[in-house]
Amino acid sequence: MSTSTPVDGTLFASLDPPRLAGSRCDACGTVVFPLALSCPRCSAAALSEVALPERGTLWSWTVQGFQPKAPYVLPGDDFVPYAVGYVDLGDVIVEGHLVGDRELLRIGLPVRLTLTQATGETVTYAFEPDLEPS
Ligand SMILES: [Zn+2]
């Protein structure tokens, strides 16, 4: 899925390899995702775009067992329960879908960024178990 259209181009610093785009505050160093216009910690307006690490650890997770309300859009015809979690990327914790073997999910699991279908031809980000953590 390396030659696809992102569901929102501002999410990514690059698609191949996939890297999320975050903002680092020039004043206090706070890192946020997605991109921000001002720092949520010190309110400074000077932030720099940074490519977030592609690997992290699962901070917490759950399985979404029912269809969320709008604006959620089904990626297919029928709702299928999916795993979602918070991933600690070091400077920031990012929420995202979790794909791959659900039996492996546990707090502290090494995970890495990947792409998954969003709607139609578009892709978004997800995290999958990192079976070969560096
Ligand atoms: Zn700041």
Side-chain angles (χ1 to χ4, degrees), residues 61-101:
W61 64 279
T62 190
V63 173
Q64 178 70 35
F66 56 90
Q67 183 173 333
K69 298 175 183 174
Y72 179 80
V73 177
L74 277 177
D77 293 331
D78 297 309
F79 175 76
V80 177
Y82 58 86
V84 62
Y86 290 102
V87 173
D88 187 344
L89 294 177
D91 290 332
V92 63
I93 293 177
V94 172
E95 181 186 12
H97 283 193
L98 304 171
V99 298
D101 187 353

Side-chain angles (χ1 to χ4, degrees), residues 28-46:
C28 75
T30 295
V31 176
V32 296
F33 173 82
L35 296 177
L37 296 175
S38 64
C39 176
R41 183 171 185 205
C42 75
S43 301

Side-chain angles (χ1 to χ4, degrees), residues 11-21 51-55 113 115:
L11 293 174
F12 297 94
S14 73
L15 275 183
D16 189 13
R19 297 284 297 273
L20 295 175
L52 300 179
E54 63 183 328
R55 290 180 149 88
L113 190 68
L115 297 177

